[in-house]
Amino acid sequence: MIKIHATTVLAVIHNGHTAIGADGQATMGNTIAKTHVRKIRKLSDGKIIVGFAGSTADAFTLLERFEEKLNSFGNNMKRGAIELAKDWRTDRFLRRLEAMLIAANKEEILIISGTGDVLEPEHQVAAIGSGGMFAQSAALALKKHAPHLSAVEIVRESLAIAADICIYTNHNFIIEEL
């Protein structure tokens, strides 16, 4: 069976607000398997929002582990992300998981990968997935040239631009804000 993959997830901090959004498309090979997948989750009593790209089962496993790390370290997002990335890279089971995460709170955004990376992007914009670079480019332009827009509006418009370009991204968005 071909794994479900390909998506677009975008996080933006702008004017004191944080928003993460994702499209709703899941694919199997070159076929659309589902159009309304929810790829955004709130953790730590709604203080942290996480988006995922990659294999859904793998992402859920990582979300559970990340939540455990957050609980272990007093909801310190950066510390929890670093501990998750260390386990992900070194654990024989976890290192086979094929997914990426974006986690955000009111102050920071982190990209977490299975190679041990915990990246805090410049300009408080981060994206993952097949349409990620389209959405990130649009968000950076909107932050710079349309500063009156809210974080949610920037995420929505950027995802729409990505969906118009990337065949693995659709217009069924879920957007959460802090």
Side-chain angles (χ1 to χ4, degrees):
M1 183 176 190
I2 299 170
K3 291 183 180 178
I4 296 175
H5 69 282
T7 194
T8 303
V9 180
L10 174 67
V12 172
I13 297 175
H14 184 65
N15 293 336
H17 295 274
T18 301
I20 294 185
D23 74 309
Q25 184 164 289
T27 57
M28 293 180 70
N30 59 359
T31 305
I32 297 170
K34 192 170 179 181
T35 60
H36 287 82
V37 177
R38 185 171 179 81
K39 303 169 191 172
I40 305 293
R41 300 284 187 270
K42 285 190 173 184
L43 304 177
S44 298
D45 296 321
K47 294 178 184 138
I48 295 173
I49 307 172
V50 180
F52 64 85
S55 171
T56 305
D58 292 357
F60 285 155
T61 299
L62 292 167
L63 286 171
E64 288 173 11
R65 291 286 183 109
F66 186 42
E67 192 159 35
E68 289 171 10
K69 297 294 183 186
L70 290 170
N71 290 335
S72 295
F73 295 103
N75 292 322
N76 182 321
M77 187 175 76
K78 191 174 283 184
R79 179 73 190 273
I82 290 167
E83 294 301 320
L84 173 65
K86 287 190 323 192
D87 287 355
W88 191 354
R89 190 170 69 81
T90 59
D91 183 273
R92 293 178 81 186
F93 169 73
L94 290 179
R95 74 174 144 209
R96 294 185 183 148
L97 300 182
E98 297 177 7
M100 286 186 76
L101 303 176
I102 290 182
N105 59 25
K106 287 193 174 264
E107 295 85 34
E108 61 191 345
I109 300 170
L110 301 172
I111 299 172
I112 311 164
S113 79
T115 57
D117 293 319
V118 177
L119 303 171
E120 188 171 3
E122 294 180 354
H123 312 295
Q124 296 185 311
V125 173
I128 57 174
S130 56
M133 291 304 103
F134 302 122
Q136 183 171 334
S137 297
L140 289 167
L142 288 170
K143 274 188 77 161
K144 182 175 182 179
H145 298 290
H148 63 281
L149 293 177
S150 70
V152 169
E153 290 169 325
I154 290 172
V155 168
R156 182 175 290 112
E157 291 303 315
S158 300
L159 288 173
I161 290 167
D164 288 342
I165 298 168
C166 178
I167 62 170
Y168 294 107
T169 304
N170 69 14
H171 286 271
N172 298 324
F173 308 137
I174 299 289
I175 301 172
E176 295 284 351
E177 180 182 24
L178 292 176

